[in-house]
Amino acid sequence: MYSIKMRASRNGKHISGAETIVEREKVEEYVLRFIRRAFSHELGTPDFISIKIEEIQEDIEYVPHLPITTLECRSKEEAREVARDILKREGIKEEVIEEAFKIVERGGMRGASIMNLQGERLEPDKERGVRVKCISTSEELREKILREKLGTERTVDAIGIATKAIDLGVIAELCISDNPSYTTGYVATKRGYFRITNLKERGEPGGRVFFVDISREEKERLERLIRDLENKPYIIK
Ligand code: PML
């Protein structure tokens, strides 16, 4: 199996990224798909595209996807209330949730913030955050999501990230797209992947926060989690 990673930027500013894990026969097809994706992003036309192809040496984890539910909300206020309720059910306190909303509202991070149940940010690089990599949504799951209208192409990527993070012990994820016109976000927990419409207004920034039960002192646990989020290969079925 091969990992393919794409990132595109303009004047050094990130525009889009994508990755997958595929069999040798699918490599060319995905490289083409990723190049097309890089050139059709609403944030602009890239002046730099990097494509990295690597053979995967480690064992791959095959994990079933979190069940997908869409919760239709009429306003950002209603959507945020829905998100809060799901997070509170996992034992995350109101004030910690508000800290997480501040991070996504500020935007500008390429990766995720990692926040513990005390509301402390644990990611070593607060500008960049932690990038969940080495992950692929199976072709069957992609087709099912699109055919049954469970979500969009963005859901296909995000369900991979969310399922991997929860499988690695993350309690919950809050995600709002950094794509200006994509206002559907989600909260993921072990109970499922809850798409929430209107989680932001058009044009607002976005970001990701992983909630974890790890204290500041547990450095080894944190390092292991970050290493696995970044490098452990997963295929989501
Ligand atoms: C992003 O990567 O832009 C975030 C994706 C959010 C997907 C929400 C959905 O399932 O529609």
Side-chain angles (χ1 to χ4, degrees):
M1 299 292 268
Y2 286 80
S3 138
I4 310 172
K5 298 194 182 98
M6 177 279 283
R7 67 193 164 84
S9 60
R10 177 157 201 93
N11 298 326
K13 202 168 173 293
H14 175 76
I15 289 183
S16 71
E19 77 162 301
T20 192
I21 296 170
V22 290
E23 283 146 14
R24 164 67 193 92
E25 304 79 67
K26 295 260 177 190
V27 171
E28 287 89 342
E29 179 190 328
Y30 274 83
V31 167
L32 199 60
R33 208 185 265 191
F34 284 178
I35 293 172
R36 286 195 186 123
R37 190 195 285 206
F39 276 118
S40 60
H41 200 280
E42 68 176 76
L43 282 180
T45 309
D47 60 12
F48 175 84
I49 300 173
S50 140
I51 303 265
K52 189 155 122 188
I53 304 166
E54 280 171 300
E55 189 179 8
I56 297 198
Q57 306 290 352
E58 275 180 75
D59 289 343
I60 299 173
E61 300 279 340
Y62 291 83
V63 176
H65 70 93
L66 291 168
I68 304 171
T69 310
T70 300
L71 305 166
E72 299 283 351
C73 294
R74 273 157 307 175
S75 66
K76 176 170 148 184
E77 289 66 39
E78 186 187 340
R80 299 247 164 151
E81 218 31 61
V82 167
R84 278 188 200 97
D85 285 347
I86 300 171
L87 292 167
K88 279 196 238 162
R89 243 196 295 160
E90 300 306 315
I92 301 162
K93 292 206 214 81
E94 181 97 42
E95 57 271 26
V96 175
I97 298 171
E98 293 321 307
E99 282 308 308
F101 273 125
K102 277 188 207 153
I103 294 171
V104 292
E105 263 159 21
R106 209 173 302 127
M109 284 174 74
R110 280 182 58 195
S113 174
I114 299 188
M115 183 170 280
N116 67 16
L117 297 178
Q118 290 69 47
E120 295 167 324
R121 289 180 68 174
L122 303 180
E123 71 276 15
D125 182 339
K126 308 263 178 308
E127 299 293 309
R128 176 181 171 274
V130 171
R131 309 249 348 251
V132 186
K133 293 182 288 187
C134 251
I135 187 165
S136 175
T137 305
S138 70
E139 198 56 41
E140 294 72 35
L141 177 55
R142 176 175 182 273
E143 277 164 18
K144 176 175 132 176
I145 289 172
L146 300 177
R147 190 182 56 241
E148 296 178 16
K149 300 200 175 6
L150 295 173
T152 65
E153 284 284 358
R154 290 192 165 258
T155 312
V156 173
D157 290 339
I159 190 73
I161 295 176
T163 305
K164 175 174 178 178
I166 299 295
D167 189 69
L168 288 171
V170 167
I171 296 173
E173 178 190 355
L174 166 69
C175 173
I176 296 180
S177 176
D178 55 8
N179 193 303
S181 63
Y182 201 86
T183 56
T184 302
Y186 69 88
V187 173
T189 71
K190 58 184 178 310
R191 295 170 213 261
Y193 175 97
F194 301 95
R195 304 179 69 230
I196 305 173
T197 64
N198 292 311
L199 200 50
K200 73 169 187 181
E201 309 273 6
R202 283 175 81 89
E204 287 181 347
R208 279 199 153 82
V209 179
F210 292 132
F211 298 91
V212 296
D213 189 7
I214 300 179
S215 73
R216 261 195 198 291
E217 289 68 45
E218 293 177 288
K219 295 214 176 340
E220 261 181 46
R221 274 187 70 207
L222 176 66
E223 276 168 20
R224 194 177 332 123
L225 174 65
I226 294 176
R227 200 179 51 232
D228 287 347
L229 284 169
E230 291 185 334
N231 299 316
K232 201 171 166 132
Y234 267 70
I235 292 187
I236 311 303
K237 298 181 287 171

